[in-house]
Amino acid sequence: ESILSRIRSFDYSQKNAVLVPAAALGVGGMLVYWLRSRHKIKTIEMGNGWWGSGERPLKGKEDESIRPFKIETSDKEIEDLHRRLEQARYAPPLEGAAFHYGFNSSYLRKVVAYWRNQFDWRKQVEVLNKYPHFQTTIEGIDIHFIHVKPSYVPHGRAVQPLLMVHGWPGSFYEFYKIIPLLTEPAEHGLNEGDVVFEVICPSIPGYGFSEAPHQKGFDTIATARIFHKLMNRLGFKQYYLQGGDWGSRITTNMAQMLPQSVKGLHLNLIFIRRQGLRRMISVMLGAYVPWLVGLTREDVQRTYPFIQKNIYELLRESGYLHIQATKPDTAGCGLNDSPVGLAAYILEKFSTWTDKSFLHKDDGGLESKYSLDELLTNVMIYWVTSSIVSSMRFYKENISKDPGLTADARVGVYVPTGIAAFPQELVHTPHAWAKDVFKNIITYSYMPRGGHFAAFEEPKLLAQDIMHFVRKVEQL
């Protein structure tokens, strides 16, 4: 019995020697997995898509060649435009209306007279073609982009690829003034550091010279995937992104989709869709004890009175959005047929989105920030490509869904982020609110002047802020 009891006790201790460490290892492994999963960055699924006409071909690989592209015009195109401009009908404006009712038709007559008699589209086509243009086919549609490399790179300087994405009612042309500041900084007094860029500016599909999607459902996530594929096709593994308006949401989605490919994200407008009790408390207390909720004096100045600046003014400037997010083709038909209607619809945004006070000016303040040649060149990009309807549809594809149910709604942005807050932007988002979504803000700048079309209006200010941001990221 004594021998048997010793054998049994030996077996029991041997089992303990195996089971206890195994259990500890199992519990420890589960704890490590739980801790790692808590810190795992959520991303948007990249997926795939087909936006060409008809069904996706079952056989054959997509043509991945990058083809040089040139903008061209013709006598027929210009003659047709002139005929339509000459036959325009106008409704007289109300006395003293300025731009309170939209584009003032008295000033519109002056713009159209310039367009018909002085604007030289052939000359502007030469201006547009001064940078190299390309097209490539991605997911069944032709994607247009310009790709500008620095002509000279000083010894020891790394060239950073930068994708810049426009919005509505802009185009790739918005970046023509900022491109030389980024690719040749020394020639423009921006030689403060060792940052030089090569710049890629694509046209959003359905805008300008990028083919419009033929299928329903083309949103910012599909655009983000296509632009990642474009950068990959150009041979880039990592790159910087910059955007405002739709470009902001597209580049944000790109950072959420493939954070490992995005070295940094720079935005001059940010979309914050998450609301809740915390935000409500911040809004209520911000005007009285801003320091308690993380707001600065500048935030208070730009955000309050809250109802006026964030509801009334936004409602006044966003009537177009409701039309385009519900029935874009109806209004779009008229704009696609009338160059005068198209100009009024587009250029009104370049007035009050540049400076809210321009509402009170008879000419909308348009020529105080831009030349008529610049403004009409942007309108012509929409006119000659018949892209106004497809550009308006982008709102329906993105806004007609419950914002809380979209794939990007609950995904944070963890890549290094720079934010340039321009004082005349449609809405101001304080740093304290931005960090709810953007978890790694490296720079946040209160810009001294400028509005919604930052690259077009204040190219030097925006270029300096992009460089400041990239310099900081490169030092990390």
Side-chain angles (χ1 to χ4, degrees):
E1 283 179 4
S2 172
I3 291 166
L4 285 171
S5 66
R6 284 182 183 180
I7 290 169
R8 287 192 196 102
S9 66
F10 176 78
D11 287 344
Y12 182 72
S13 62
Q14 285 287 86
K15 285 175 185 175
N16 273 354
V18 174
L19 289 173
V20 171
L25 193 63
V27 171
M30 287 172 69
L31 186 62
V32 168
Y33 176 79
W34 178 73
L35 287 169
R36 288 189 67 182
S37 65
R38 281 185 69 208
H39 292 94
K40 188 179 179 183
I41 295 173
K42 285 185 181 177
T43 58
I44 299 172
E45 286 291 323
M46 186 154 181
N48 208 348
W50 170 258
W51 308 104
S53 184
E55 296 289 323
R56 183 200 293 265
L58 295 173
K59 291 182 180 179
K61 196 179 177 185
E62 188 165 72
D63 177 10
E64 295 188 356
S65 64
I66 293 167
R67 308 175 292 276
F69 176 81
K70 194 174 182 182
I71 298 170
E72 295 176 338
T73 188
S74 66
D75 290 342
K76 185 180 177 183
E77 185 174 72
I78 295 169
E79 286 164 12
D80 176 65
L81 171 69
H82 286 175
R83 178 181 59 80
R84 291 168 186 264
L85 293 177
E86 288 162 2
Q87 294 177 354
R89 297 193 307 171
Y90 301 88
L94 294 171
E95 292 179 12
F99 263 56
H100 285 274
Y101 285 71
F103 205 106
N104 186 291
S105 59
S106 294
Y107 179 61
L108 183 59
R109 285 176 181 269
K110 295 178 183 177
V111 172
V112 172
Y114 181 87
W115 197 359
R116 170 62 183 87
N117 301 314
Q118 292 171 265
F119 179 77
D120 187 343
W121 176 232
R122 290 188 185 280
K123 181 182 172 185
Q124 294 308 117
V125 165
E126 288 179 19
V127 171
L128 290 173
N129 283 325
K130 75 176 180 177
Y131 294 131
H133 293 247
F134 303 91
Q135 278 188 338
T136 188
T137 307
I138 303 176
E139 297 189 4
I141 53 176
D142 290 338
I143 306 301
H144 161 261
F145 62 99
I146 56 174
H147 186 180
V148 188
K149 300 178 182 180
S151 58
Y152 168 72
V153 181
H155 179 70
R157 292 199 181 181
V159 179
Q160 303 293 346
L162 174 66
L163 180 82
M164 303 188 80
V165 185
H166 66 88
W168 187 92
S171 63
F172 65 92
Y173 178 61
E174 281 182 71
F175 301 115
Y176 268 49
K177 289 186 274 189
I178 199 173
I179 286 171
L181 307 183
L182 297 169
T183 57
E184 316 285 350
E187 292 181 22
H188 298 88
L190 295 174
N191 195 19
E192 299 167 19
D194 55 355
V195 178
V196 181
F197 297 94
E198 60 178 293
V199 180
I200 301 92
C201 299
S203 294
I204 298 170
Y207 288 68
F209 299 98
S210 276
E211 186 178 352
H214 298 267
Q215 312 293 332
K216 293 187 291 183
F218 186 85
D219 57 12
T220 56
I221 292 174
T223 314
R225 180 178 64 244
I226 281 177
F227 287 171
H228 269 309
K229 289 182 177 182
L230 171 64
M231 294 301 278
N232 187 255
R233 195 169 290 185
L234 291 171
F236 300 116
K237 300 299 180 195
Q238 286 191 307
Y239 29 89
Y240 284 94
L241 307 175
Q242 203 287 325
D245 197 90
W246 280 125
S248 167
R249 188 156 156 190
I250 291 164
T251 54
T252 297
N253 288 165
M254 291 178 75
Q256 293 168 312
M257 187 177 285
L258 291 179
Q260 68 274 22
S261 296
V262 179
K263 293 184 79 175
L265 171 68
H266 186 279
L267 306 171
N268 54 280
L269 171 67
I270 53 176
F271 293 89
I272 302 289
R273 287 179 283 174
R274 297 180 196 174
Q275 306 298 332
L277 183 62
R278 199 168 129 205
R279 177 67 53 78
M280 198 182 297
I281 291 168
S282 180
V283 168
M284 288 191 296
L285 298 179
Y288 307 102
V289 281
W291 49 270
L292 193 64
V293 289
L295 301 188
T296 66
R297 187 178 296 175
E298 187 68 30
D299 291 328
V300 172
Q301 193 176 332
R302 296 186 184 192
T303 309
Y304 297 92
F306 189 84
I307 299 294
Q308 180 192 327
K309 292 190 175 181
N310 294 271
I311 297 177
Y312 174 70
E313 288 182 2
L314 205 56
L315 281 173
R316 186 188 67 205
E317 294 299 331
S318 59
Y320 79 98
L321 186 148
H322 190 77
I323 291 170
Q324 295 178 192
T326 53
K327 306 285 181 69
D329 287 30
T330 305
C333 286
L335 301 177
N336 195 49
D337 190 57
S338 166
V340 176
L342 182 69
Y345 196 72
I346 287 177
L347 295 185
E348 181 235 303
K349 305 309 178 195
F350 282 87
S351 167
T352 47
W353 291 7
T354 296
D355 192 316
K356 298 175 187 76
S357 70
F358 287 173
L359 198 69
H360 309 297
K361 294 178 178 284
D362 290 338
D363 63 356
L366 279 168
E367 292 176 75
S368 62
K369 294 283 187 174
Y370 316 102
S371 72
L372 283 180
D373 280 347
E374 290 170 345
L375 293 168
L376 289 170
T377 297
N378 183 66
V379 173
M380 284 295 288
I381 289 169
Y382 282 86
W383 177 253
V384 300
T385 58
S386 292
S387 60
I388 188 63
V389 177
S390 50
S391 75
M392 291 163 71
R393 286 176 186 156
F394 203 51
Y395 284 78
K396 183 169 179 66
E397 304 295 14
N398 284 288
I399 300 175
S400 60
K401 307 161 189 168
D402 181 341
L405 299 178
T406 57
D408 58 339
R410 307 221 169 261
V411 177
V413 178
Y414 293 88
V415 305
T417 303
I419 297 167
F422 284 84
Q424 289 294 330
E425 185 54 89
L426 293 169
V427 288
H428 174 68
T429 304
H431 184 287
W433 299 354
K435 66 183 183 181
D436 289 345
V437 173
F438 300 89
K439 310 294 187 183
N440 188 11
I441 297 173
I442 305 297
T443 62
Y444 183 102
S445 309
Y446 296 99
M447 307 305 282
R449 62 186 179 276
H452 186 74
F453 303 99
F456 205 37
E457 181 195 351
E458 295 288 351
K460 192 164 187 178
L461 280 181
L462 185 62
Q464 286 172 327
D465 200 69
I466 293 168
M467 288 178 169
H468 172 61
F469 164 67
V470 171
R471 231 174 262 129
K472 283 208 161 190
V473 174
E474 291 298 311
Q475 289 167 3
L476 293 176

